[in-house]
Amino acid sequence: MLDSIHASCFSEHEPLHSVVLCPPSDLDVTDMKIATQVQWNGPVDQSKARECHENLVGALQQEGVRTIMYDEFLSDKDLHLSKQLINRVFVRDLACVFGESVLPGEAGTSMRKPEYVQFHLLLSHWLPDAFQINENNDIKALEFGDLLILNKDAIFINVGMRTSISSLERVKEAIFQAGFSEIGIIDLPRSASTLHLDMNCNVAGSDVVVAKQFLKYFPVQVITESSSSFSMVDAFLFRHGFDIHWLQSYKTIPDINFLNVNPETLLVSKQCNKNSLKEHPSLQKKNIISIDVTELEKGGGGIRCMTLPLHRG
């Protein structure tokens, strides 16, 4: 049991108090052929990856964020397996705090299923009152890299390669019960560069979203407990108080997959084009902290993917 742990998240940008992480696997991805076969962007030396992860943890702690390494709470048997799971560093997908409830995810690929089982067991012990255990086989694919908590009213979610519409149908009532009144659903192309929503857009503050320009052509289905309608991406986000900083050129992971530490501070990859971010008036005064996570990004995810917020606000 983890003492004094609290779950509460109503946005992507309020002060981050506690976050779950997991260090990289022990297994190197030794060559490009293997990287391609495991759907990574390149070979990875895990000793270098661990140095990058320590950079991430250190930066969070320096900003006053409590960092919880979930592997430290696994049994010896589970830990032995966990250390061989090369994607375990990407914890964002495993679960999500909605308001003061915690929903477990479901792996969209069988390669990642052990991580979900191990982490959900820990959550059920850490947060027995908040954790919404789903024992229904209808949950087929639900990875929370596909979800942004816009504010206390609205959720934005992609039903694409790793999150199914049937899974969203199964959990939507839990989202409404957590206090949210709208769910905006987008269906992005199925490709490596659009794997999750947070590889295509991200909340950069209370009033601005950074997004790849192609998203402006996509409709959003907006559902409430009693209605369904359609809107375009910009109209949906504008209605919830967000301007959009459209990116015409970008490096998908470092330029979009960043983390809000608090309303004034973004934690970004050292490969991020900070000048591009600061082209938007609302981002010009942001404290943008760059850290080296280059070796970790070869696994196909960025700083947001590597962090699971438990408590914001």
Side-chain angles (χ1 to χ4, degrees), residues 148 150 156 197-205 207-213 215 233 237 242-252 254-258 260 266 268 272-273 276-280 282-283 286 288:
L148 299 173
L150 297 178
F156 193 24
L197 183 62
D198 65 9
M199 295 175 72
N200 299 277
C201 69
N202 199 354
V203 174
D207 61 353
V208 61
V209 167
V210 172
K212 294 179 181 179
Q213 194 170 34
L215 263 69
V233 169
L237 292 173
F242 293 95
D243 192 18
I244 304 176
H245 181 32
W246 296 111
L247 299 182
Q248 291 184 312
S249 60
Y250 45 78
K251 291 179 288 186
T252 290
D255 287 341
I256 296 175
N257 204 265
F258 50 77
N260 291 266
L266 293 178
V268 306
C272 174
N273 184 348
S276 176
L277 281 179
K278 292 204 170 188
E279 287 174 359
H280 192 280
S282 294
L283 302 179
K286 284 278 186 180
I288 300 180

Side-chain angles (χ1 to χ4, degrees), residues 35-293:
T36 300
Q37 290 169 330
V38 298
Q39 298 183 313
W40 278 22
N41 297 335
V44 170
D45 180 333
Q46 296 292 17
S47 64
K48 294 180 181 178
R50 280 189 286 276
E51 290 178 11
C52 287
H53 198 259
E54 289 169 4
N55 294 339
L56 172 59
V57 173
L60 286 164
Q61 291 177 344
Q62 191 166 352
E63 291 300 310
V65 181
R66 181 185 184 186
T67 56
I68 301 165
M69 304 298 148
Y70 87 75
D71 65 312
E72 296 177 0
F73 299 88
L74 296 173
S75 68
D76 290 343
K77 180 181 177 181
D78 284 347
L79 183 60
H80 177 73
L81 172 61
S82 177
K83 287 181 176 181
Q84 300 173 78
L85 302 175
I86 61 170
N87 292 302
R88 72 175 192 158
V89 69
F90 301 122
V91 297
R92 174 72 64 154
D93 301 321
L94 305 182
C96 186
V97 178
F98 292 94
E100 297 185 348
S101 297
V102 184
L103 284 177
E106 180 63 37
T109 174
S110 60
M111 188 178 183
R112 297 202 62 188
K113 285 187 177 181
E115 305 160 53
Y116 286 70
V117 173
Q118 291 181 347
F119 184 60
H120 294 168
L121 182 61
L122 292 177
L123 279 178
S124 68
H125 290 299
W126 293 350
L127 297 161
D129 296 329
F131 188 59
Q132 304 290 319
I133 299 175
N134 291 294
E135 297 177 346
N136 192 298
N137 291 331
D138 289 343
I139 305 295
K140 301 184 186 303
L142 181 62
E143 297 191 353
F144 289 108
D146 269 324
L147 183 140
L148 299 173
I149 300 175
L150 297 178
N151 52 39
K152 292 185 177 182
D153 296 318
I155 301 294
F156 193 24
I157 189 167
N158 172 48
V159 289
M161 286 182 70
R162 295 293 182 86
T163 296
S164 69
I165 187 66
S166 62
S167 297
L168 175 59
E169 288 289 334
R170 177 70 179 86
V171 302
K172 67 180 182 180
E173 291 306 320
I175 295 173
F176 292 137
Q177 289 171 13
F180 299 90
S181 58
E182 282 190 11
I183 302 173
I185 306 167
I186 193 170
D187 185 354
L188 294 177
R190 273 73 164 167
S191 71
S193 65
T194 53
L195 183 70
H196 285 138
L197 183 62
D198 65 9
M199 295 175 72
N200 299 277
C201 69
N202 199 354
V203 174
S206 62
D207 61 353
V208 61
V209 167
V210 172
K212 294 179 181 179
Q213 194 170 34
F214 83 91
L215 263 69
K216 68 169 57 178
Y217 299 97
F218 279 74
V220 176
Q221 182 181 8
V222 182
I223 62 171
T224 69
E225 288 189 274
S226 59
S227 68
S228 175
S229 61
F230 286 91
S231 175
M232 299 304 288
V233 169
D234 52 1
F236 172 67
L237 292 173
F238 289 166
R239 188 162 52 79
H240 287 287
F242 293 95
D243 192 18
I244 304 176
H245 181 32
W246 296 111
L247 299 182
Q248 291 184 312
S249 60
Y250 45 78
K251 291 179 288 186
T252 290
I253 294 172
D255 287 341
I256 296 175
N257 204 265
F258 50 77
L259 181 73
N260 291 266
V261 178
N262 55 55
E264 293 79 37
T265 307
L266 293 178
L267 200 59
V268 306
S269 164
K270 79 168 189 176
Q271 298 187 88
C272 174
N273 184 348
K274 293 192 288 185
N275 290 332
S276 176
L277 281 179
K278 292 204 170 188
E279 287 174 359
H280 192 280
S282 294
L283 302 179
Q284 289 174 358
K285 294 184 179 180
K286 284 278 186 180
N287 177 25
I288 300 180
I289 301 173
S290 300
I291 58 172
D292 183 3
V293 288

Side-chain angles (χ1 to χ4, degrees), residues 25-45:
S25 166
D26 286 348
L27 298 184
D28 292 338
V29 176
T30 54
D31 56 56
M32 194 63 216
K33 181 178 180 180
I34 292 175
T36 300
Q37 290 169 330
V38 298
Q39 298 183 313
W40 278 22
N41 297 335
V44 170
D45 180 333

